[in-house]
Amino acid sequence: IASLPAVVLLFSVGVAFTWFVLLPPALLFLLNFGSDVAEPQIRISKYINLIIMLAFWVGLSFQTPLVMTIFARLGIVTPKGFARRRKLAIVGAFVAGAVFTPTFDPVNQTLLASPIVVLYELGIWLAKLASRRRQKVVESELLGRTD
């Protein structure tokens, strides 16, 4: 419950990122792709579905630092473990960018992968803070029990 404001904030930032940064070039690409062969005819239901799905998945991917912090706080993964898996996370960010974006061009894929990589790095930093805090709590409990 304590992390609910962070969840809402990160999800909202992800949705705003989708609306202001990701959608304009994606729609431009989709509307102009193959325009010399056929005229694009957009159905409003497909357009709304595209926006909702894209905003949902991007908003969900913006939860990365929070999830990493919680895992570090619980002692499931250490910050060093996250740092060792950095290359895998970067590849995963680009795979997510390829899966979540409605186009197959590398510009939109990179537009989505870049903030995920930045959020992963932020998650490592926050995991370090959470890990230090967890260690202090464990040490104080051990010292309290020996008295």
Side-chain angles (χ1 to χ4, degrees):
I1 293 177
S3 62
L4 191 59
V7 169
V8 172
L9 177 69
L10 288 171
F11 191 83
S12 299
V13 170
V15 170
F17 177 81
T18 300
W19 185 258
F20 292 111
V21 177
L22 199 57
L23 267 178
L27 291 176
L28 182 68
F29 179 83
L30 288 172
L31 290 174
N32 291 327
F33 182 74
S35 61
D36 54 338
V37 178
E39 182 180 325
Q41 296 188 1
I42 303 169
R43 293 195 170 151
I44 192 70
S45 62
K46 297 284 186 184
Y47 177 74
I48 291 173
N49 189 37
L50 169 76
I51 292 173
I52 289 172
M53 293 303 291
L54 192 58
F56 173 76
W57 288 111
V58 173
L60 196 63
S61 69
F62 269 58
Q63 303 298 313
T64 302
L66 184 63
V67 171
M68 292 171 67
T69 304
I70 291 170
F71 282 173
R73 177 94 171 141
L74 295 174
I76 296 171
V77 182
T78 64
K80 288 182 182 178
F82 284 130
R84 279 194 306 267
R85 291 175 184 87
R86 181 179 281 120
K87 290 178 185 176
L88 184 62
I90 292 171
V91 171
F94 277 91
V95 169
V99 171
F100 295 152
T101 55
T103 64
F104 52 84
D105 66 312
V107 172
N108 284 311
Q109 181 182 0
T110 305
L111 276 175
L112 181 56
S114 298
I116 294 174
V117 170
V118 171
L119 289 168
Y120 188 82
E121 293 297 325
L122 176 65
I124 292 173
W125 183 74
L126 292 173
K128 286 179 185 177
L129 293 175
S131 181
R132 287 182 193 151
R133 185 173 176 194
R134 181 179 188 278
Q135 187 176 9
K136 287 180 183 178
V137 168
V138 169
E139 287 173 358
S140 67
E141 285 180 4
L142 289 175
L143 291 175
R145 289 187 181 153
T146 58
D147 291 337

